[in-house]
Every structure is written in structure tokens, then in C-alpha cells.
């Protein structure tokens, strides 16, 4: 069974630009969540989707948004990039999203210059 | 407001000995806990979980203990192997919130 797939793996953007990251969950998983990891920080929750509905959102500015498609694939978008947005963005999927284990992809490394 | 804390940023253990990684939490509503291992430039790998209705869960060399009254969980790795050298994260979730709160991680180094 294929794991969680994230694309692109690495990208460099300029301040003010926007970026879209993509995530394909494990087959059969309907919950997708996104986390940000910055140096020295743990993983910070961004948002979670289940059946195309956002069920929870973390404490991030509105520049961070996401969506989920009917095939459970998900995208997250960051607009008006700031230097502080440089981070590893991790997508995770789970079968139900409630009390279930979440499985992570390899992540997308975003560098904002 | 750090609801999940891993107070030891790093830990060194000799190969073959026991590694004990600790995690404390403040939210008594957390009911599901996970441990992950993370190598540089890779995503976190799931190790073991425990629900709040249990106080222990084992999977091979990994055992997680949960002390609800102390709001403390620990991960025991026995015996430790050099390949276990990585950063370990604990995470906690409150049912119905659909999100996990992660600690800041403990870097484990297993010395050969």
C-alpha cells in the first residue's frame, strides 16, 4: 500500500509570492491534516479535512488555506509568503481522523527568500 | 501555552541499554497519544500509540506507559540500537478535535 505522497519535495519562493502544496493520502484514508515544522519547534497543526470539509483549524493567519477534493487528495496554499513561512510542511492521513493514528508523508521543504 | 512538553532536548544511551523518553501534558481531556521517530529530511514515522483507557502498550522493542494522574507518558526502547538514533516526538489528541498537539522532540543518540 502506497504511503502519503507529497509534492513538491523542495521548493524556493520569493517573499510575496504564493505557493500550493499537494498531498495524496494513503488509499482509503479520508482524513488529511497538515502540520508545519520550523527549526527548534515541534509540529504545529494547520488544519484537518474529512470528506472535503474542514473540521478544525490551527492558529495560523488567513494566508494559510487548504482544501480537499472528492478523491481525498488535499492541497494547501500559502499566499503573500513571508520569510518566517520557511518550514517543512507535513501532510498526514488517517482512516477516520478521530482517535486514530495519523501517517505522515515525507514533507515539502519550503524556503522563502 | 505548551500543552505537550518533552523537557529533555537530548538523550544519549549505550547500545543494548534501555532508552526512556518522557512526555508531559497539561490537558486532562487528551485521550489518545502517539509516538513518532523522525530522521532528518524525512517525515515522522509512527511508532506506537496508546489510548487513555490503557496504561501500557507494547510493540516489539517499544513500550509506551501512560500515567493519567500524573499526565505523563514515556516511551521505553529495549534494547536500544544505533539505528534508533533520531528525534522522537510525542503527540496527544482530544477526541472530537481532529488534531494532534506535538511536543518539541527529544534527540536520542544510541552509542555503539
Amino acid at each position: 500500500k502506497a504511503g502519503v505522497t507529497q509534492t513538491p519535495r523542495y521548493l524556493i519562493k520569493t517573499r510575496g509570492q504564493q505557493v500550493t502544496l499537494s498531498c495524496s493520502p494513503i488509499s482509503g484514508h479520508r482524513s488529511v491534516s497538515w502540520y508545519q515544522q520550523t527549526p527548534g519547534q515541534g509540529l504545529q497543526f494547520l488544519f484537518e479535512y474529512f470528506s472535503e470539509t474542514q473540521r478544525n483549524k490551527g492558529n495560523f493567519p488567513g494566508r494559510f488555506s487548504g482544501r480537499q477534493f472528492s478523491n481525498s487528495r488535499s492541497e494547501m496554499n500559502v499566499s503573500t509568503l513571508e520569510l518566517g513561512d520557511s518550514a517543512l510542511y507535513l501532510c498526514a492521513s488517517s482512516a477516520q481522523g478521530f482517535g486514530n493514528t495519523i501517517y505522515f508523508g515525507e514533507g515539502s521543504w519550503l524556503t522563502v527568500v | 501555552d505548551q500543552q505537550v512538553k518533552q523537557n529533555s532536548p537530548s538523550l544519549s544511551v549505550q547500545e543494548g541499554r534501555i532508552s526512556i523518553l518522557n512526555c508531559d501534558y497539561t490537558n486532562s481531556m487528551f485521550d489518545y497519544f502517539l509516538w513518532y521517530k523522525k530522521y532528518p529530511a524525512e517525515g515522522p514515522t509512527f511508532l506506537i500509540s496508546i489510548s487513555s483507557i490503557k496504561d501500557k502498550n507494547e510493540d516489539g522493542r517499544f513500550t509506551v506507559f501512560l500515567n493519567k494522574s500524573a499526565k505523563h507518558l514515556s516511551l521505553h526502547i529495549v534494547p536500544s540500537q544505533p539505528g534508533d538514533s533520531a528525534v522522537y516526538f510525542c503527540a496527544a489528541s482530544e477526541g472530537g478535535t481532529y488534531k494532534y498537539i506535538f511536543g518539541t522532540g527529544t534527540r536520542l543518540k544510541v552509542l555503539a
Side-chain angles (χ1 to χ4, degrees):
Chain A
K1 193 183 233 186
V4 178
T5 304
Q6 292 188 244
T7 56
R9 287 293 319 278
Y10 303 93
L11 65 166
I12 300 173
K13 291 286 188 177
T14 304
R15 269 184 305 175
Q17 286 186 314
Q18 66 125 23
V19 65
T20 299
L21 308 176
S22 180
C23 173
S24 293
I26 292 170
S27 178
H29 284 190
R30 296 168 64 188
S31 168
V32 173
S33 49
W34 289 87
Y35 290 79
Q36 180 199 63
Q37 184 184 22
T38 51
Q41 298 289 320
L43 283 70
Q44 306 291 319
F45 173 77
L46 281 156
F47 24 65
E48 189 267 359
Y49 289 88
F50 182 86
S51 292
E52 302 178 68
T53 300
Q54 185 184 88
R55 296 194 294 188
N56 203 347
K57 189 178 190 306
N59 297 322
F60 280 82
R63 301 184 296 106
F64 291 81
S65 63
R67 60 178 175 168
Q68 187 181 34
F69 302 95
S70 58
N71 61 0
S72 293
R73 192 177 67 85
S74 177
E75 288 181 348
M76 68 162 282
N77 183 276
V78 188
S79 62
T80 319
L81 284 165
E82 300 177 359
L83 295 179
D85 297 333
S86 295
L88 175 64
Y89 290 88
L90 291 158
C91 170
S93 75
S94 71
Q96 290 287 343
F98 171 73
N100 271 22
T101 300
I102 59 174
Y103 297 91
F104 285 93
E106 295 296 298
S108 292
W109 284 95
L110 170 65
T111 301
V112 182
V113 297
Chain B
D1 177 22
Q2 189 96 24
Q3 295 188 67
V4 178
K5 298 179 184 178
Q6 293 178 257
N7 292 317
S8 298
S10 63
L11 173 69
S12 291
V13 171
Q14 286 290 336
E15 180 180 6
R17 306 294 291 269
I18 183 171
S19 294
I20 299 176
L21 298 106
N22 295 303
C23 181
D24 296 296
Y25 60 96
T26 57
N27 187 346
S28 59
M29 299 300 290
F30 286 148
D31 58 5
Y32 200 71
F33 304 87
L34 306 172
W35 281 96
Y36 290 87
K37 174 172 71 173
K38 188 178 185 300
Y39 295 118
E42 293 185 13
T45 300
F46 168 71
L47 287 173
I48 193 167
S49 64
I50 189 165
S51 134
S52 59
I53 63 174
K54 295 186 173 183
D55 54 19
K56 177 182 174 182
N57 189 25
E58 284 182 85
D59 185 359
R61 296 187 298 115
F62 302 94
T63 302
V64 56
F65 295 92
L66 176 62
N67 182 332
K68 289 184 289 293
S69 60
K71 296 190 181 69
H72 176 83
L73 67 156
S74 60
L75 175 68
H76 293 208
I77 306 173
V78 184
S80 301
Q81 300 172 353
D84 296 330
S85 297
V87 178
Y88 288 77
F89 291 96
C90 64
S93 177
E94 176 184 343
T97 63
Y98 313 112
K99 73 176 185 182
Y100 282 92
I101 307 297
F102 281 78
T104 52
T106 296
R107 183 176 302 277
L108 172 66
K109 188 171 184 179
V110 180
L111 307 169

